[in-house]
Amino acid sequence: MALAYDSGEPMDGSSGLPPPRVAYDRTPIHRGSVFAVERVTFRDDAGRVIVRDVVRHPGAVTVIPVLDDGRLVMIRNWRVAIGAWLDEFCAGKLEPGEDPALAAARELEEETGFTAAHIRPVGVFFTSPGFADERMYVFEATGLTPVPQRLEVGEQIEVVTRSVADLQRMITRGELVDGKTLGAFTLWKHGASGAGATP
Amino acid sequence: MALAYDSGEPMDGSSGLPPPRVAYDRTPIHRGSVFAVERVTFRDDAGRVIVRDVVRHPGAVTVIPVLDDGRLVMIRNWRVAIGAWLDEFCAGKLEPGEDPALAAARELEEETGFTAAHIRPVGVFFTSPGFADERMYVFEATGLTPVPQRLEVGEQIEVVTRSVADLQRMITRGELVDGKTLGAFTLWKHGASGAGATP
């Protein structure tokens, strides 16, 4: 259990604050097929010892597929973690070292049954930085052509298409409750271009 | 390891799909101070056995504090999980059984040093339903008055104010990378009123 000093470089470039110099120790306490859990021990500026459990996740991609008529391809996805169907953009976790753009193209084909002529980075965000390091890479897919859908074992998915106006009405009504889809749609609607896509 | 059947009622009311009837088993594999991890074993429609690790989280609140001149109060928050400062709306996890509106009022005071005359529900979303059940309850706070900031042990926070236009520019530039803040801002800008706030 050696102590080290975290260099802690800011990832988003938006803050002029210096990173705290925190002594920390990291102990693995769980490793599963999708994520691991690490117990992090550190001292705050006042020298107090803090212990936090952190989920280590390989990161994920989500794709906003835009049909030639402007409608968006979405999925209804059975989510085991919450026991509910959610309306979402298609998504999937990264394999270690995988190029997010290639993962985006793969998940688009597998889950929606469309292949894209163009995959463009839109941006990236942290899904739940209070306890997890998962990064969500967002892409836009255009030039869509149907291909066979290829669901993975355990996936239960229905493909639907929606206009942007429909999606906005769903947001107003509280019918869109997937955080990744809300975050991705916001970046896309604000014309984000993936400038910050590699934090 | 008894098998049970998940009733799996849809939580968002937006899908007419029946919930899959899945036999499942749940085994606790980790319990920490903020979240637990459970190993879920179930059979899909084809009868195949699937194993997934799921993070069980008590849920959290985030608050959009609106000053009388229309500017929003935000924080720069040191995030241990990612080793970076993030620009965010103030937030905090729920205690078991806690009323989200009361938690919102508390976190607003503790983290930003403002108390609110009005706390209004905006909506709710799942931060990362691929592996976690964390719900994020979103509130708007208005009628703000300064009070002493009271940071919890381990919190390192700087309070900043931003116009809505500034925030939108940050989104376009990829400078806002906290998913909760993106999701909350989107619900608020679309005039969501918390109709779906208790899934």
Side-chain angles (χ1 to χ4, degrees):
Chain A
M1 304 238 308
L3 287 175
Y5 280 90
D6 189 355
S7 69
E9 290 177 45
M11 291 180 182
D12 63 346
S14 65
S15 173
L17 295 172
R21 278 186 72 78
V22 287
Y24 68 87
D25 174 71
R26 298 178 167 180
T27 306
I29 53 179
H30 169 65
R31 172 157 295 281
S33 62
V34 173
F35 63 84
V37 179
E38 202 174 70
R39 184 151 287 174
V40 179
T41 305
F42 63 102
R43 293 178 193 276
D44 69 6
D45 282 350
R48 292 172 296 203
V49 173
I50 321 287
V51 179
R52 292 273 173 79
D53 291 349
V54 173
V55 170
R56 300 296 178 196
H57 189 284
V61 297
T62 188
V63 186
I64 304 175
V66 187
L67 294 164
D68 290 347
D69 66 5
R71 279 178 305 143
L72 308 181
V73 180
M74 299 185 69
I75 61 175
R76 283 176 172 165
N77 195 4
W78 177 256
R79 287 302 192 175
V80 171
I82 58 173
W85 291 97
L86 288 189
D87 286 87
E88 308 182 19
F89 292 125
C90 59
K93 75 178 172 72
L94 290 167
E95 302 302 324
E98 188 180 23
D99 177 350
L102 295 181
R106 182 194 66 221
E107 293 294 338
L108 175 70
E109 285 196 25
E110 288 180 357
E111 295 192 344
T112 71
F114 282 99
T115 188
H118 309 286
I119 299 267
R120 177 180 74 80
V122 170
V124 66
F125 57 88
F126 293 97
T127 55
S128 199
F131 70 90
D133 66 356
E134 185 191 27
R135 283 180 176 80
M136 181 63 63
Y137 295 87
V138 183
F139 293 87
E140 177 198 69
T142 52
L144 303 178
T145 314
V147 293
Q149 190 189 29
R150 304 187 306 276
L151 296 184
E152 287 180 72
V153 171
E155 286 185 328
Q156 303 195 64
I157 285 174
E158 184 194 43
V159 178
V160 293
T161 61
R162 296 191 189 282
S163 68
V164 170
D166 275 350
L167 198 57
Q168 291 180 308
R169 270 189 291 272
M170 289 180 68
I171 293 171
T172 300
R173 290 175 185 155
E175 294 170 358
L176 202 73
V177 296
D178 174 46
K180 155 195 83 238
T181 300
L182 290 168
F185 182 70
T186 302
L187 288 171
W188 182 74
K189 279 294 287 178
H190 282 81
S193 61
T198 50
Chain B
M1 305 236 311
L3 285 175
Y5 280 91
D6 189 356
S7 69
E9 289 177 47
M11 291 180 182
D12 62 348
S14 65
S15 173
L17 295 171
R21 278 187 71 79
V22 288
Y24 68 88
D25 173 71
R26 297 178 168 182
T27 305
I29 53 177
H30 168 65
R31 173 159 293 281
S33 62
V34 173
F35 63 83
V37 179
E38 203 174 68
R39 184 152 289 173
V40 180
T41 306
F42 63 102
R43 292 177 194 277
D44 69 7
D45 282 350
R48 293 170 294 202
V49 174
I50 320 287
V51 180
R52 291 274 172 80
D53 291 350
V54 173
V55 170
R56 300 295 179 197
H57 189 283
V61 297
T62 188
V63 187
I64 305 175
V66 187
L67 294 165
D68 291 347
D69 65 5
R71 280 177 304 145
L72 308 180
V73 180
M74 299 186 69
I75 61 175
R76 283 176 171 165
N77 196 3
W78 177 258
R79 287 302 191 176
V80 171
I82 57 173
W85 291 97
L86 288 188
D87 285 86
E88 308 182 18
F89 290 126
C90 59
K93 75 179 174 67
L94 289 167
E95 302 303 324
E98 188 179 23
D99 177 350
L102 295 181
R106 183 194 66 222
E107 293 294 340
L108 175 69
E109 287 196 24
E110 289 180 357
E111 294 192 344
T112 71
F114 283 99
T115 188
H118 309 286
I119 299 268
R120 178 180 74 80
V122 171
V124 66
F125 57 87
F126 293 97
T127 55
S128 199
F131 71 90
D133 66 356
E134 184 191 28
R135 283 179 176 79
M136 180 64 63
Y137 295 87
V138 183
F139 293 87
E140 176 197 68
T142 51
L144 302 178
T145 314
V147 292
Q149 190 189 30
R150 302 186 309 275
L151 296 183
E152 287 180 73
V153 171
E155 286 186 329
Q156 303 195 64
I157 285 175
E158 184 194 44
V159 178
V160 294
T161 62
R162 296 190 189 284
S163 68
V164 171
D166 275 350
L167 198 56
Q168 291 179 308
R169 271 190 291 272
M170 288 180 70
I171 294 172
T172 301
R173 290 176 186 154
E175 293 170 358
L176 202 72
V177 295
D178 174 46
K180 154 194 87 244
T181 301
L182 290 168
F185 182 70
T186 302
L187 289 170
W188 182 73
K189 278 295 287 178
H190 282 82
S193 61
T198 51

